[in-house]
Amino acid sequence: MKTVGKGISKIDGMSIATGKPVYTEDLAMANCLVVKLLRSPHAFARINSIDTTIAEKLEGVECILTYKDVPKQRFSLAGQSYPEPSPYDRLILEEVVRYIGDEVAIIAAVDEKTALKAMSLIKVKYELFDPVLDFEKAIGHASIVHAENDVHCNFDIGMKKDLNIVSSHKVEVGNIDEEIKKCDIVVEETYYTQANAHAMMETYRASSYLDHTGRLVIVSSTQIPFHVRRQLAKALQIPASKIRVIKPRIGGGFGGKQTSAVEIFTAIVTLKTGKPAIIIYDRKETFSCTTSRHAMRLSVRLGADSNGYIRVVDIQGLSDTGAYGEHASTVFSVVGDKTLPLYNKTTAVRFTGNVVYTNKMPAGAFRGYGATQGAYALESTVNLLAEKLAMDPTEIRLMNLIKEGETCLTYNGKLLGSSTLHKCIEKGKELIGWKERYPAQQIDKNRVRAIGMAVTMQGSGIAGIDTASAEIRLNDDGNFTLLIGSTDMGTGSDTILAQMAAEILEIPIENIIVNAADTDISPYDPGSYASSTTYVTGMAVVQAAQDLKRQIIESGAKFLEVSSEEVEFDGETISMIKGEGSVRLEKLAEFLVLGTGKHQLVGNATYGSPVSPPPFIAGFAEVEVDKETGKIDLIDFVAVVDCGTVINPKLARIQVEGGIVQGIGMALYEDVKFGDKGKLLTNTFMQYKIPCRKDIGNVQVAFEESFEKTGPFGAKSIGEVVINTPAPAIAHAVYNAVGVRVTSLPITPEKVFMGMQNRINF
């Protein structure tokens, strides 16, 4: 292949690196109204009165809106295909506020200073309720977070809102109770995974204006422009045809911008005033008033025979969705979807549990989307099982993991299409020095180095649901324009999609202009999430390029007055196979558009996959633990990846490195913490620590390519799977170092130190 498989630099890399004005704020209209939000200081309360009289008189204030001024149509902000599985439990503003930071009033003024001054002049009186702050006490709590009668679900997700349950989920194959009795050994442990902040570089922001026809135009740093359009239409009660959403470059999302945190506020201001408006969340609002990863409690029970074959996997979970239910049921279900298939020598598997409302900042989509939490719990328990069986943890996995061409209890007979996970483990052992270093080495009196490992799987798009379209047009000058609705948020997806089109058309990637994403221009795409862009949108691009190539050959043959079978196209020229007749692509393009051809060529395709082939990773961590303090230094992390065919090795590598670093943050540092009144305590980077370069140690990345026949050029996804192994691998390494099994993330020196003390004193 000429283009696919090559480490081509990002097509927008230089513009981003040199600070070109390519982001949402750069593109806002001059003299925008500045939008600010008055937020609730209480975790759970009803607004008894709200007085905006004085604030509205302030010079420069254009608009103040309260719950009395907005439509009463409930909706969800979750970026999901319709009908969304997330409940419609929000209003734009509501009489009841459900977490500290919930919106109370929208203020628009000529500048930020005036808006903030007006905000300070609004008088609100609240009736306080007892908040639900402990998610383990939410079910049956005296307070009901959503007592209103008009909360709506598009289909049954197991909601029991009187019990604060937003969703219940159960998957069970086989008889757990009977099969567990047959096992020679059973291990069980309960794990807690914390909420995390996305910590993207560009905070949430959007601007809006009315165009010359009176249509509402939104410019937003979003992963989901088409979903934003649908949400705004529903919430604002206007036709979707009156809304256009434009996505410029995005400074990171990590799933956070799969929830529409800001667009609705600037949109309603523009509709009310007729003026352009902009809203920019500062870092504290981004931490406190958007979404985080779902915190979970996961209890895992594994049963095995004496030879080490895992026969039973039983996981029971509880998830905290906070005040609103965006992504609640789907994130939770993915915990089981991406853990139960891994070990397929089982005779019974089960994943069951509930997602509950609390009076805290909502949870939402986050890279890994439940698989991260599940991998930590399951893989930690597999390591525990290996120890009880006195087996090497890599060997127990090599015996039990699903292989290419095999099935599992939850696949209903479907076969796994591609996997090199066993090779990934062998490669990882070699790179980390497993034979020489496992399990631990004493460095000196106080310091111990040790190794741990874990494996994981994810998906590639949402099978049978998400569908992407692509168009590619032959321009009058012989170049091409690729129109896509996916959203490159720094991943380089625009580049790899152009590589795919270039490979099919046999042209240099420089001949392709990528246009994305604008709901007026781009073909439909659900957006970039669920590890779908390379796999789902990629297949749409491949098929659109094939369609265009066919048309080029047909048109060239017609120009040469021969049949299509008598010509060939090499990316530059359509030539007769036998004979000397030929026409250059530029000439043909000109003829088709400007001459008598009268038919500009456009390739189209829409693609949705009935399967979601999993990428795999084997992750290995080496840590050094100080036995006097519990301090953990990550020395080395090895990730060996099966993402199918690697479309762009350079961009794939940075995806892996970035995900590994984010996973290390979850494992060792990052923790969203709330005070006893429900106030977020970690609302700046002073309190919320993410790892810097000095915290990471060495990161080694290697690929063991498989070939996924349903994917573009054999590719699968890579964006999310990369975050899943650091937490269980590091936890395993820490245990091998000092014998302390930390079951609640993050793994802090304090927990390790106290664990050592308890073990000594036991």
Side-chain angles (χ1 to χ4, degrees):
M1 290 187 284
K2 296 179 179 177
T3 308
V4 166
K6 302 296 186 295
I8 295 170
S9 297
K10 289 170 63 175
I11 58 177
D12 58 352
M14 188 58 69
S15 295
I16 291 173
T18 56
K20 294 291 189 296
V22 295
Y23 294 98
T24 295
E25 188 177 1
D26 300 321
L27 304 181
M29 296 186 74
N31 303 315
C32 277
L33 296 176
V34 175
V35 180
K36 291 290 178 183
L37 302 173
L38 177 65
R39 299 185 178 279
S40 171
H42 305 295
F44 198 18
R46 183 188 307 279
I47 299 171
N48 276 346
S49 67
I50 180 166
D51 185 354
T52 61
T53 308
I54 299 174
E56 288 173 334
K57 292 178 181 176
L58 191 66
E59 184 177 354
V61 172
E62 291 277 344
C63 171
I64 296 178
L65 304 173
T66 72
Y67 70 90
K68 302 172 184 174
D69 306 309
V70 300
K72 306 304 179 189
Q73 176 69 42
R74 292 200 179 271
F75 56 92
S76 170
L77 291 178
Q80 298 173 309
S81 293
Y82 182 82
E84 306 95 329
S86 296
Y88 288 8
D89 55 9
R90 282 185 181 267
L91 296 175
I92 301 173
L93 298 171
E94 195 168 351
E95 191 175 5
V96 175
V97 289
R98 297 185 176 83
Y99 74 99
I100 294 177
D102 211 351
E103 296 83 15
V104 172
I106 304 167
I107 303 104
V110 293
D111 55 37
E112 182 176 12
K113 182 178 180 181
T114 304
L116 292 174
K117 176 66 176 176
M119 186 190 301
S120 70
L121 297 174
I122 299 173
K123 305 299 181 187
V124 188
K125 292 183 179 178
Y126 297 94
E127 176 188 0
L128 303 186
F129 303 139
D130 181 24
V132 182
L133 298 177
D134 184 344
F135 81 110
E136 294 187 281
K137 299 178 180 176
I139 298 175
H141 194 284
S143 294
I144 300 172
V145 178
H146 283 275
E148 62 277 14
N149 294 323
D150 56 347
V151 170
H152 168 71
C153 295
N154 287 314
F155 48 85
D156 185 13
I157 59 171
M159 175 178 275
K160 298 174 183 173
K161 63 185 181 65
D162 290 345
L163 294 174
N164 289 319
I165 296 174
V166 61
S167 176
S168 296
H169 185 77
K170 183 177 183 179
V171 174
E172 183 172 3
V173 184
N175 190 320
I176 291 287
D177 294 334
E178 290 300 319
E179 294 301 321
I180 205 80
K181 293 176 184 174
K182 302 175 185 175
C183 293
D184 297 315
I185 183 169
V186 176
V187 296
E188 185 171 5
E189 187 58 87
T190 297
Y191 304 88
Y192 289 85
T193 61
Q194 79 280 40
N196 294 140
H198 301 86
M200 70 287 284
M201 189 175 292
E202 181 194 32
T203 61
Y204 297 81
R205 56 198 61 204
S207 67
S208 56
Y209 59 91
L210 299 178
D211 71 9
H212 62 287
T213 66
R215 295 174 72 226
L216 176 65
V217 181
I218 305 292
V219 181
S220 176
S221 177
T222 179
Q223 297 174 224
I224 47 163
F226 284 91
H227 292 332
V228 168
R229 184 177 66 176
R230 188 183 68 251
Q231 291 165 356
L232 292 180
K234 181 175 290 294
L236 297 169
Q237 296 287 281
I238 60 176
S241 62
K242 297 293 185 183
I243 303 171
R244 176 185 182 186
V245 180
I246 300 170
K247 185 268 332 166
R249 307 321 298 167
I250 307 174
F254 306 119
K257 293 172 182 174
Q258 195 189 338
T259 300
S260 310
V262 294
E263 293 84 353
I264 203 161
F265 302 116
T266 183
I268 195 170
V269 166
T270 291
L271 288 179
K272 292 284 186 180
T273 65
K275 296 183 179 181
I278 186 168
I279 186 166
I280 298 175
Y281 275 12
D282 61 22
R283 187 58 68 180
K284 284 190 176 180
E285 282 182 302
T286 296
F287 270 117
S288 308
C289 310
T290 55
T291 59
S292 67
R293 187 186 296 280
H294 289 79
M296 292 188 190
R297 182 191 71 201
L298 296 168
S299 297
V300 184
R301 185 168 54 153
L302 297 181
D305 64 24
S306 58
N307 294 317
Y309 286 103
I310 299 172
R311 300 306 188 191
V312 174
V313 177
D314 184 16
I315 305 174
Q316 297 190 31
L318 182 70
S319 175
D320 184 355
T321 193
Y324 300 98
E326 284 97 9
H327 302 277
S329 62
T330 42
V331 167
F332 191 64
S333 66
V334 169
V335 174
D337 292 346
K338 307 309 178 191
T339 53
L340 298 185
L342 260 178
Y343 298 98
N344 73 330
K345 309 305 181 288
T346 48
T347 53
V349 296
R350 178 169 63 189
F351 172 65
T352 184
N354 298 303
V355 189
V356 294
Y357 283 121
T358 59
N359 291 114
K360 294 185 289 191
M361 181 180 73
F366 198 126
R367 191 180 203 173
Y369 207 82
T372 312
Q373 295 95 318
Y376 168 63
L378 175 62
E379 288 301 285
S380 294
T381 314
V382 172
N383 287 327
L384 173 62
L385 177 65
E387 182 191 33
K388 298 296 184 186
L389 287 165
M391 291 183 66
D392 184 310
T394 62
E395 294 303 318
I396 195 171
R397 288 180 168 88
L398 291 170
M399 286 173 54
N400 285 283
L401 286 169
I402 189 170
K403 294 180 179 178
E404 183 175 308
E406 294 182 348
T407 188
C408 64
L409 292 178
T410 58
Y411 275 9
N412 296 318
K414 292 181 180 178
L415 303 180
L416 179 64
S418 60
S419 173
T420 57
L421 182 54
H422 290 68
K423 292 181 179 178
C424 293
I425 293 173
E426 297 292 356
K427 182 72 172 180
K429 290 175 67 175
E430 178 185 330
L431 292 174
I432 200 73
W434 186 266
K435 289 183 179 177
E436 301 80 22
R437 300 179 183 177
Y438 178 79
Q441 295 177 302
Q442 191 79 36
I443 302 301
D444 58 29
K445 179 182 176 184
N446 294 321
R447 294 179 300 152
V448 183
R449 285 192 179 185
I451 293 176
M453 66 91 60
V455 300
T456 188
M457 63 178 283
Q458 196 83 34
S460 300
I462 305 174
I465 295 179
D466 284 338
T467 301
S469 297
E471 295 178 15
I472 184 162
R473 185 169 64 215
L474 175 61
N475 298 323
D476 59 293
D477 57 2
N479 289 308
F480 299 83
T481 298
L482 173 62
L483 297 115
I484 47 178
S486 59
T487 52
D488 187 336
M489 58 188 124
T491 58
S493 62
D494 284 358
T495 304
I496 64 166
L497 294 174
Q499 284 182 255
M500 293 181 190
E503 186 68 45
I504 296 294
L505 293 166
E506 302 184 65
I507 59 174
I509 191 173
E510 293 77 13
N511 291 11
I512 297 178
I513 302 160
V514 180
N515 186 297
D518 180 334
T519 57
D520 270 12
I521 299 169
S522 308
Y524 177 81
D525 192 295
S528 290
Y529 60 85
S531 296
S532 63
T533 303
T534 297
Y535 180 74
V536 179
T537 309
M539 278 303 292
V541 168
V542 166
Q543 293 179 359
Q546 289 170 335
D547 182 35
L548 179 57
K549 186 176 183 179
R550 176 188 56 77
Q551 295 180 51
I552 290 172
I553 291 172
E554 290 176 352
S555 298
K558 185 177 180 181
F559 183 88
L560 296 171
E561 298 182 335
V562 296
S563 70
S564 300
E565 291 73 23
E566 295 176 88
V567 301
E568 59 186 3
F569 174 52
D570 64 1
E572 296 180 350
T573 305
I574 301 94
S575 306
M576 294 173 61
I577 297 173
K578 296 180 180 179
E580 298 183 352
S582 66
V583 56
R584 297 279 296 174
L585 181 62
E586 296 93 325
K587 183 64 180 177
L588 178 65
E590 180 183 311
F591 166 75
L592 290 169
V593 177
L594 304 175
T596 56
K598 297 179 181 177
H599 180 62
Q600 185 167 16
L601 302 185
V602 182
N604 291 281
T606 297
Y607 183 78
S609 176
V611 296
S612 178
F616 296 97
I617 284 189
F620 296 78
E622 182 181 20
V623 302
E624 182 176 291
V625 183
D626 187 320
K627 292 195 292 185
E628 278 196 328
T629 64
K631 182 175 182 292
I632 307 157
D633 289 319
L634 182 64
I635 305 301
D636 197 6
F637 197 95
V638 171
V640 187
V641 186
D642 164 21
C643 59
T645 299
V646 180
I647 301 294
N648 185 322
K650 184 185 291 185
L651 298 182
R653 179 173 295 277
I654 62 172
Q655 278 282 295
V656 180
E657 291 175 347
I660 293 298
V661 171
Q662 205 164 23
I664 292 168
M666 180 181 182
L668 294 175
Y669 305 106
E670 301 182 40
D671 194 4
V672 171
K673 291 183 177 179
F674 295 88
D676 57 5
K677 301 292 185 183
K679 183 178 181 180
L680 186 75
L681 302 177
T682 49
N683 60 5
T684 75
F685 282 121
M686 293 297 289
Q687 289 85 30
Y688 188 85
K689 178 172 170 52
I690 60 174
C692 69
R693 185 62 190 91
K694 290 183 177 178
D695 298 316
I696 298 306
N698 187 44
V699 175
Q700 302 184 62
V701 175
F703 296 95
E704 284 288 347
E705 291 184 297
S706 61
F707 186 86
E708 173 53 47
K709 64 181 181 182
T710 65
F713 303 99
K716 299 184 284 190
S717 76
I718 194 170
E720 293 187 277
V721 70
V722 291
I723 196 173
N724 297 341
T725 58
I730 291 171
H732 187 209
V734 169
Y735 176 77
N736 289 331
V738 294
V740 175
R741 198 179 305 278
V742 178
T743 56
S744 174
L745 297 177
I747 307 164
T748 61
E750 291 83 0
K751 292 176 183 175
V752 174
F753 178 81
M754 293 306 296
M756 288 189 291
Q757 297 306 306
N758 292 337
R759 188 165 54 85
I760 292 170
N761 296 330
F762 181 70

